[in-house]
Amino acid sequence: MTMVGLTQGAGWEIGVSGTVRHPVEQVWELLVSPRGLRLWLGVTELGTSRGDRYESADGTVGEVRSFRPHDRMRITWRPAGWDHDSTVQVALSSRGEGRTVLRFHQERLADEAERVRQRDHWRAVLARIVDALDQDH
């Protein structure tokens, strides 16, 4: 029996996505701005080169794995207290004029309970990003 969210290659994973009424460029600019980075990552700066490291105020650490402007970024993500890294991908895709699908995907989670916690986390992050975009316009 296959369990939802369990993959052979990446272990437990979760994906959260939503369509926003803003163009890709505008969504990307928020995500990589100090304000946007605080909303989804808890930092005010994030490098754009593979291997660039970050640490948030709450002790989450990681590094950039890939960074493709207006498309996607992949980072490792390890909150304080975790004994393993996970990988987070933030991806954007256009859905016609002025609409963008924003996706958060996290893999290499420890177990089903961690998957559920991270699903709730990324849903809350998505809501904060949508609110910020809507406030700006």
Side-chain angles (χ1 to χ4, degrees):
M1 179 171 104
T2 303
M3 300 185 76
V4 173
L6 181 60
T7 66
Q8 202 166 21
W12 289 94
E13 64 181 8
I14 186 61
V16 171
S17 66
T19 302
V20 297
R21 292 186 195 123
H22 304 278
V24 165
E25 297 78 13
Q26 182 183 354
V27 178
W28 183 264
E29 291 308 316
L30 175 65
L31 288 173
V32 300
S33 72
R35 176 180 172 219
L37 286 166
R38 268 192 309 276
L39 290 173
W40 74 269
L41 191 56
V43 301
T44 57
E45 287 183 17
L46 182 67
T48 59
S49 298
R50 183 175 177 84
D52 285 349
R53 301 201 50 79
Y54 71 89
E55 182 172 358
S56 71
D58 71 1
T60 299
V61 297
E63 69 179 43
V64 173
R65 291 296 171 95
S66 66
F67 191 93
R68 297 192 336 224
H70 302 115
D71 181 35
R72 70 190 64 232
M73 64 184 99
R74 288 178 60 85
I75 60 171
T76 61
W77 197 77
R78 181 191 285 206
W82 279 25
D83 64 358
H84 62 284
D85 286 342
S86 64
T87 301
V88 173
Q89 177 173 268
V90 183
L92 303 178
S93 55
S94 178
R95 284 295 177 260
E97 193 169 323
R99 294 180 48 193
T100 301
V101 175
L102 170 57
R103 292 183 183 87
F104 292 94
H105 183 266
Q106 188 171 13
E107 59 190 32
R108 305 201 182 285
L109 299 169
D111 54 31
E112 188 173 15
E114 191 169 273
R115 178 184 182 271
V116 169
R117 285 192 304 274
Q118 291 311 112
R119 179 188 61 209
D120 293 344
H121 170 79
W122 294 115
R123 284 179 176 167
V125 165
L126 181 62
R128 290 194 303 268
I129 295 293
V130 169
D131 286 346
L133 286 163
D134 290 346
Q135 287 172 10
D136 290 348
H137 290 71

